[in-house]
Amino acid sequence: MITERSVAGRPPGDTGDAAAEARRDPVAILRAYLALCKPQIVELLLVTTVPTMMVAAGGWPDLRTLAVVLIGGAMAGGAASALNCYIDRDIDQVMRRTKRRPLPANTVTPRSVLIFGLTMAVISVALMAVFTNWLATAMTAGAIFYYDVVYTLWLKRRTPANTFWGGICGSAPVVIGWAAVTGTVSPLGWALFAVVFFWQMPHFYALAIKYKDDYARAGVPMLPVVRSIRRVNVEIVLFTVLTVAASLVAWPLGLGWIYGAAAIVTGVAFLGEALLLVRRTSTGQPAKPMRLFHWSITYLTILFIAVAVDALI
C-alpha cells in the first residue's frame, strides 16, 4: 500500500516548511479548497446543463430554478470532486499530473477535505430538494454517490471499463437540468445525455494516452495501460462515431437547423481529430493526444451553445 511515509520520505506528521506555511495562509487555503472542487470540470458540466434547461423550457427557464440548479449543480460537482480527491489521495501522490493537488501537497488535511465534501454534498441535495422536484433531487444525490462510491471506490481501480461506467455520472447534469425544469426527462433530454456519455470516452482516452505512465505507476487500469494501442484506437473511433450519431439523433427530436448545422460541422471535425490521433499512434508518429482532448472540449461547448441558441430562436 502506498503510504504517506513511503511517498514523502518522512513521518506522516512532518509536512515540511512549505506545506506548514501554506496552511497558515488564508489565500492558499482558499485556493486549495477551490482546486479540490476541480472548477474546470464543474464549468464544463454547467456548459451542458444550462442549454439543456433552456431547450427543456423552450427559452429561458424560470430564473429561480436556473439559479438553484447552477448553484446546487456546482456544489454537487465540487462535492463529488473533493470526495474523489479524498479517496484518491494515495494514488494522487505518485502521479506527476496530480501530486501537486492540495492533499498530496499537505496544504489541507484529509479530515478537513472529507468534512468539506460531505457538507457541500448535503447542501447541494438540500437545495435541489427544497427548490426543484424529487426527480432532479434524486438524480443529484445519485450522481454524487455513483461518482464517489461506485466509480472512484470500486470501478476506477478494478476495470479498464472504468471510463465507460464512470461516464454515467459525468452525463447526469444534462438530465438533472431537464428534470429540474419539467419534472421528467423527454427523449431529447436522453439524446443529449447520450451525446455527453459517449463523448467522455475519446475525451478521457486521449488524456489517458498522455498520462499512461502515471496511471500505470498508480496501478489504475485505464484502457491505454492494460490494452494495446490498437484496441484503444478502435474505441476512440467507435465512441466518437457514437457521439456524433447521438448528436444527430437529437436533431429531429426538437432542435432546429442551427443546431443541426453545428452538429454536422463540429461532428465531422471531431471525427477527423480522432482519426488523426489514430493514424499517428498507428504509424509511430508523435501522438499529440492532448490535441484531441482539447478539441473534444471545444466540440462539446460549440454543440451545446447551438442547443441554447436554438432554444431562443
Side-chain angles (χ1 to χ4, degrees), residues 107-175:
T107 310
V108 291
T109 65
R111 182 174 181 273
S112 298
V113 174
L114 179 61
I115 293 171
F116 173 70
L118 290 174
T119 301
M120 281 217 305
V122 170
I123 293 173
S124 66
V125 173
L127 278 173
M128 298 296 286
V130 172
F131 294 106
T132 62
N133 54 64
W134 72 267
L135 181 57
T137 302
M139 286 180 170
T140 300
I144 296 171
F145 178 85
Y146 188 97
Y147 182 68
D148 289 314
V149 177
V150 178
Y151 170 71
T152 305
L153 273 175
W154 179 33
L155 297 171
K156 182 175 180 178
R157 307 193 191 199
R158 287 173 172 79
T159 171
N162 51 20
T163 305
F164 179 86
W165 294 111
I168 294 173
C169 46
S171 314
V174 172
V175 287

Side-chain angles (χ1 to χ4, degrees), residues 282-305:
S282 300
T283 58
Q285 300 176 53
K288 300 181 180 179
M290 297 306 286
R291 175 169 166 156
L292 176 62
F293 177 83
H294 291 302
W295 169 249
S296 67
I297 296 173
T298 302
Y299 163 81
L300 199 68
T301 302
I302 293 174
L303 190 71
F304 275 84
I305 287 174

Side-chain angles (χ1 to χ4, degrees), residues 50-59 61 178 181 188-189 192 254-255 307-308 310-311:
V50 174
T52 301
M53 293 179 70
M54 292 171 67
V55 76
W178 195 290
V181 172
L188 176 55
L192 294 174
L255 294 168
V307 171
D310 222 278

